[in-house]
Amino acid sequence: MAPRAARRFAGRGRPEWNRSTRRRRGTTTSYAGEVERLISLLSAKHGARRGTLLDVACGTGLHIEHLRRRFDAEGLDICPELLAIARKRNPDAVFHLADMTAFGLGKRFDVVTCLFSSIGYVKTLDRLRAAVRSMAAHLRPEGILAVEPWFTPETRRPNTVHALYIDETELKIVRINTSFVDGRTSIFDLHYLIGTPEGTEHVIEHHELGLFDVEEMVAAMEEEGLAVDYDPQGLTGRGLYVARRRAGK
């Protein structure tokens, strides 16, 4: 999520939305299901079953909640409000406040992940390369980098309207947005109408994500000495890049 939007939404509609969408499996995102698919893929194709893991752009720590069942997982995000929620959700985990395009933790990991299309928030090719460089620098020898992309310029359809709903006894949420494209940038405002017994509130998140094609993503990883495998289906239908540091790199 864009940092400004995250600060406006964290602690208000975000926790309720996350809890509800997790209960309503298939409505939006099943975090447990995504993690199971990721672990299965990493284990079957790349031999990564356990070890240390860094989740970059971890947000409120929902993926980490499930990743920790298999890995010694840590999180990193640019937004302190989201990290506060992540720490509350995962009190025993380590979290780092940093920008994904320029961070140095002084340690390396067996696996580094960047999920839920968070890589799109870098917006430009230069920042994409910087983010991949930072993540690759934190891989152990033969470590694995897994990045779930945002849409490509060819697959993002502009001027489309989307809506999701939560309907529970004491919680109603409607999320509506219209998606636009400006050059190589995907732009949309998520409008949340949140109803609880205490009242109803309207919250808006503004999002801008870069649209990178497959060749650009692969090139950014290969420039860091990584061998890249691209799965067009991935965890949620948006694809998944799994890159491994070549021996001696």
Side-chain angles (χ1 to χ4, degrees):
M1 179 187 300
R4 184 178 300 174
R7 294 188 179 96
R8 294 171 62 189
F9 197 41
R12 300 166 76 187
R14 170 64 65 184
E16 289 87 351
W17 179 262
N18 282 339
R19 281 197 296 270
S20 297
T21 53
R22 289 170 70 208
R23 287 197 294 267
R24 295 170 63 88
R25 188 180 183 90
T27 302
T28 54
T29 300
S30 169
Y31 291 89
E34 288 182 15
V35 169
E36 284 304 312
R37 287 192 291 275
L38 176 64
I39 291 174
S40 177
L41 186 152
L42 294 181
S43 176
K45 292 188 176 182
H46 303 278
R49 294 176 175 83
R50 296 190 181 275
T52 57
L53 181 146
L54 175 67
D55 188 27
V56 175
C58 66
T60 62
L62 278 165
H63 282 118
I64 287 179
E65 182 178 1
H66 302 285
L67 286 165
R68 292 184 69 224
R69 297 172 185 174
R70 187 69 65 92
F71 294 93
D72 180 9
E74 301 183 14
L76 179 147
D77 202 277
I78 196 173
C79 178
E81 288 83 358
L82 294 184
L83 286 179
I85 299 172
R87 290 188 176 104
K88 185 175 181 180
R89 175 172 285 124
N90 304 280
D92 298 327
V94 174
F95 290 93
H96 309 272
L97 177 65
D99 186 331
M100 76 168 87
T101 65
F103 65 93
L105 305 183
K107 60 197 302 186
R108 296 192 177 196
F109 300 83
D110 297 302
V111 179
V112 175
T113 59
C114 185
L115 305 174
F116 208 35
S117 300
S118 299
I119 194 67
Y121 288 105
V122 299
K123 289 181 62 175
T124 68
L125 272 174
D126 284 344
R127 285 174 56 81
L128 170 65
R129 296 186 187 102
V132 171
R133 187 178 308 118
S134 290
M135 289 187 275
H138 287 77
L139 289 175
R140 287 178 173 169
E142 298 190 21
I144 296 171
L145 172 63
V147 179
E148 184 177 22
W150 183 236
F151 294 93
T152 69
E154 294 75 27
T155 58
R156 187 57 170 173
R157 294 183 296 132
N159 304 103
T160 53
V161 183
H162 311 270
L164 294 170
Y165 311 92
I166 295 298
D167 185 5
E168 299 181 359
T169 303
E170 294 189 347
L171 177 67
K172 316 291 183 185
I173 304 179
V174 180
R175 193 185 83 179
I176 300 176
N177 74 282
T178 301
S179 296
F180 303 97
V181 174
D182 182 7
R184 295 291 295 272
T185 305
S186 170
I187 303 170
F188 54 96
D189 289 331
L190 295 177
H191 291 257
Y192 292 85
L193 193 62
I194 307 160
T196 69
E198 289 72 37
T200 300
E201 186 176 10
H202 178 211
V203 180
I204 303 174
E205 295 178 355
H206 180 71
H207 296 260
E208 296 187 10
L209 293 87
L211 298 168
F212 307 112
D213 59 36
V214 174
E215 291 75 17
E216 289 167 338
M217 293 287 294
V218 169
M221 296 178 190
E222 289 182 339
E223 286 171 7
E224 301 306 317
L226 304 177
V228 187
D229 179 28
Y230 174 62
D231 177 354
Q233 178 61 31
L235 308 178
T236 63
R238 295 177 186 170
L240 184 71
Y241 296 88
V242 179
R244 191 159 202 159
R245 181 171 294 287
R246 297 187 180 97
K249 295 293 185 177

